[in-house]
Amino acid sequence: MTTTSPTAVTTCEACWKEPVEGVRVTTSGADLICRPCAVGNYPRRVDLFPPLGIYGLTERRIEAGRHGSGAPQTPPDQGPPLPHPPPTPSPPGTPPV
């Protein structure tokens, strides 16, 4: 009897339809795939569509993108200053003014 954890991959990583039937070992790691995808030598979808998965995200790609750009910057035009004193809120049940 095989037990799986709640986070275990049970669907093929290539077609996302069939149950996992085997493991294909590649240079980038192990692929959990079904038999038809293994015979057809289909790639994992997360490798084809990186925004949908994190498998293809490397440190170099993180540094090159917007992921490690440092502290947030304020926009160049911040708009008009807030009113002082702040306006009084509208009474309950009435639309805001």
Side-chain angles (χ1 to χ4, degrees), residues 46-47 50-51 53-63 65 67:
V46 291
D47 293 335
I54 59 172
Y55 294 99
L57 194 62
T58 62
E59 285 185 35
R60 191 177 107 208
R61 291 178 77 186
I62 291 173
E63 291 172 3
H67 298 283

Side-chain angles (χ1 to χ4, degrees), residues 16-93:
W16 292 351
K17 291 189 249 175
E18 301 296 323
V20 171
E21 296 183 49
V23 177
R24 174 177 56 196
V25 179
T26 61
T27 57
S28 62
D31 302 341
L32 301 172
I33 55 175
C34 63
R35 186 173 304 279
C37 290
V39 171
N41 199 26
Y42 297 128
R44 298 184 308 178
R45 283 193 180 199
V46 291
D47 293 335
L48 295 175
F49 306 108
L52 301 177
I54 59 172
Y55 294 99
L57 194 62
T58 62
E59 285 185 35
R60 191 177 107 208
R61 291 178 77 186
I62 291 173
E63 291 172 3
R66 301 173 73 189
H67 298 283
S69 59
Q73 303 293 322
T74 57
D77 179 17
Q78 297 180 11
L82 296 174
H84 187 72
T88 57
S90 300

